Amino acid sequence: MRSNNKIHPKKFGLYISFASIMMMFTGLTSAHIVRQSAGNWLEFKIPPIFFISTVVILLSSATIHLSYKSFLKGREQQYKWLMVLSAVLGFAFIVLQYEGWQQLNAIGVDLKGNPSGSFVYAISGIHAAHVLGGIGAIAVALLHAFSLPFKVTPVRKLRFELTAQYWHFVDFLWVYLIVFLVMQH
Amino acid sequence: MAYVTETGYNEEVLIKENGLNDHFHDHHHGDKFQSNFITTYIFSQDHKMIARQFLITGMFWAIIGAAMSIVFRLQLGFPEENMAWLRPILGKWITVDEAGMGRLAPEFYYALVTMHGTIIVFFVLTAGLSGTFSNLLIPLQLGARDMASGFLNMLSYWFFFLSSAVMLYSLFLSTGPFSGGWTAYPPLSALPQASTGSGTGMTLWLLSLTFFVVSVLLGGINYVTTVLNLRTKGMTLWRMPLTIWAFFLTAIIGILSFPVLVSGFFLLMFDRGLGTSFYLSEIFIGGKALENVGGSPILYQHLFWFLGHPEVYIIILPAMGLVSEVLSVHARKPIFGYKAMVMSMLAIGFLSFIVWAHHMFMSGVNPFISNFFVLFTLIIAVPSAVKVFNWIATLFGGNIRFNSPMLFAIGFVSLFISGGLTGIFLGNSAIDIPMHDTYFVVAHFHIVMGIAAFFGMFAGVYHWFPKMFGRFMNEMMGKIHFWGTIAGAYAIFWPMHYLGMAGVPRRYYRFDTFEAFKHFEDTNKFITVAAIIVFALQIVFVINFFYSIFNGKKVTDANPWGATTLEWTTPIEPGHGNWEGNLPAVERWPYDYGKNGREFIPQWEPLAAGEQDGGNH
Ligand code: HEM
Ligand SMILES: [Cu+2]
């Protein structure tokens, strides 16, 4: 395909969808601010387990980046296993988030109560759904990595980049969200 | 910056002489797209077929949406007439008493009003308008083979189809479709027990609109990517026709605003399904107090109108783009103030994100904060006026062809002025307080958005029909359609301003039982009769459309309107890939009419020695 830009159209499309997803979370966090300023707001601390999950998801960003680097350098084994590690860390993130919701519930902040708590569930839950989408993409990438003969082709490079960039995006999205939630609670 | 390639040919000269060779025809993937009936007509990845799919689905919905309005207008105009004859169509929603007197069920009246709004705003004027023309014109006018991703484009249509199917199904529920207004404010939308339509009807409404947003986003991502990446050689941004600018900005607005609606929908779904209280607080229903406390229905209004206001520009900007193009072609004059047109669209697009609370002056928003929204709202009048001025200046002294597309384009300008002016009334919070939720608002937005956007769409259909189907639509029927519709539309909505100023509220089932409003009986009858006539005239359009697809006058000249843009360089009925040989290269801006003693100079003609390109001043 001929393109006026240096960026591949598919990547460009992906970046636009980042803007779109970002707007959705901007909507949610703005709603949080508007509702909070109206008073009748339950005060509580975000359980520290959410910080562990933050570290985990950041680690997975690093591993997928290293996997990509190994892919480019032709280090097949390193590339494959780092990708497996990324998927595992992604999955661990979801488990930790679930654990976080359990802990919230345990300190008496349930889903149904004051919107102050419901927002934490809603925002982290909708984010988790986006992470699941990323895990799906990595699963497809894993399938390719283990079933196709190793070869660095432009198409596979592009696919990898799309997957990795989406993954970095949902990771940093979470960093924004956790910073927001901690500052507001 | 001509340069010589390794082979020793001057590439610039080659492109000038032969067009741009993108090696499209080297491999025969044309066949992958149009090899059998299913890939050609149903799961098509060709932008032109997808455009037709959007158009025809939009027309289907327009007929349903308009027919609904006729039913509720009958109720408003003739509340004492027997409606038993509608029973075969509406079934149990017409209740017939022993005397044989049939009445429209009040719940269903609300369902009709709600569905009318939802269908026209989203399915017809968003998908049917922007979906059709963005798809058709972005690749054709930019000199691209297709959209950046034909597959996502196909998905975009099929998500719209899915959304349509779900909404259509909801019309046949025994409890009826959602009935709480197209804006779906809680608590009516949040509590399944709030009204008959709030249960399954609302669940399906949410599902349908969520699919719809997916469709808009997939389409929008594709449009933006295509515009920024796939323009042919020489097609700089400042040489793009105004249609493309409009679709491009519309797509950006959609990409940034629809997700916020989705976030509002998610919270609504949680309230409905998981028992949260984002929008609910201290509600008594059926004599019982609900447990929900701490929520705020106003929160939903903020999230809704943060999309809702940009949405009205998502509807009108494509219409503005189409009208700008049609006016210029048929006035045989360059569009007046090309850059100002683009800049005003940018300004409108930007401002549309910071005015949403003008829909909420009566929702208890702090009056001090309201003032900011009043200010920004009134500032929108400035770029709007710039556009109106430029359209009129384009017409002024033009060699005007009064054919159907042109008439509808001129009609658009008239309607946009009439409806825009009442917007300025409503934008002042002090005036809006008595006007809010009256027929004045109904008149305002139907003229400026509803009818005007329809006119833009009609202008586009009449103008680009030859490109879509290789035939012309019938002029005579087109003229009847135009004159009847413009007179009828004003007859319907003009009187509504007076009703509104007298305080007649919108969304009421009947007015004859109110002492204050019963003297509007004749006005309401008049409006209903006018609506029926206008509806009948749209049938003329539909007949003309389908008749002309098969029997219209054949197009024999590849450029029948004498236009300057690239879509007219393709074969009369372009196949997949649009151009048989190389891509055309662009040499100048798209509005060279009446220049150098020639009627028009197309975009693919190189500038003469010493000639200035039009877009650059
Ligand atoms: C000068 C420009 C405009 C101004 C100042 C303006 C202002 C307003 C205001 C203040 C309202 C709220 C009235 C109320 O509910 O009390 C309103 C309603 C509305 N306007 Fe406009 N408007 C303008 C142009 C437009 C345009 C161009 C469109 C669409 C293309 C549009 C579509 C609507 C719609 C759909 C509603 C009503 C929505 C509803 O409540 O169901 N307006 N306008
Ligand atoms: Cu508005």
Side-chain angles (χ1 to χ4, degrees), chain B residues 558-570:
Chain B
N559 186 2
W561 305 123
T564 58
T565 39
L566 294 185
E567 75 271 31
W568 307 106
T569 55
T570 64

Side-chain angles (χ1 to χ4, degrees), chain A residues 1-5 7 9 12-13 16-17 19-20 23-24 27-28 31 34-35 40 111-113 115 118-119 122 126, chain B residues 20 148 217 221 224-225 228-231 255-256 259-260 262-263 266-267 270 274-278 294 299 303 306:
Chain A
M1 214 178 311
R2 233 195 112 256
S3 175
N4 308 69
N5 268 344
I7 303 181
F12 195 83
I16 303 173
S17 64
S20 201
M23 279 309 286
M24 183 164 87
L28 289 167
V34 168
R35 173 58 194 82
N40 179 19
L111 173 67
K112 291 188 187 183
S118 311
F119 267 114
I126 296 171
Chain B
L20 178 63
L217 294 179
I221 289 171
V224 173
T225 309
L228 289 181
N229 291 283
L230 301 183
R231 301 187 310 278
I255 287 166
L256 297 179
V260 178
V262 174
S263 62
F266 278 148
L267 301 186
F270 291 156
L274 301 178
T276 55
S277 311
F278 289 109
L299 196 58
L303 292 170
F306 188 85

Side-chain angles (χ1 to χ4, degrees), chain A residues 8 45 59 61 118 173:
Chain A
H8 190 281
K45 281 236 162 344
L59 271 179
S61 241
S118 311
L173 181 59

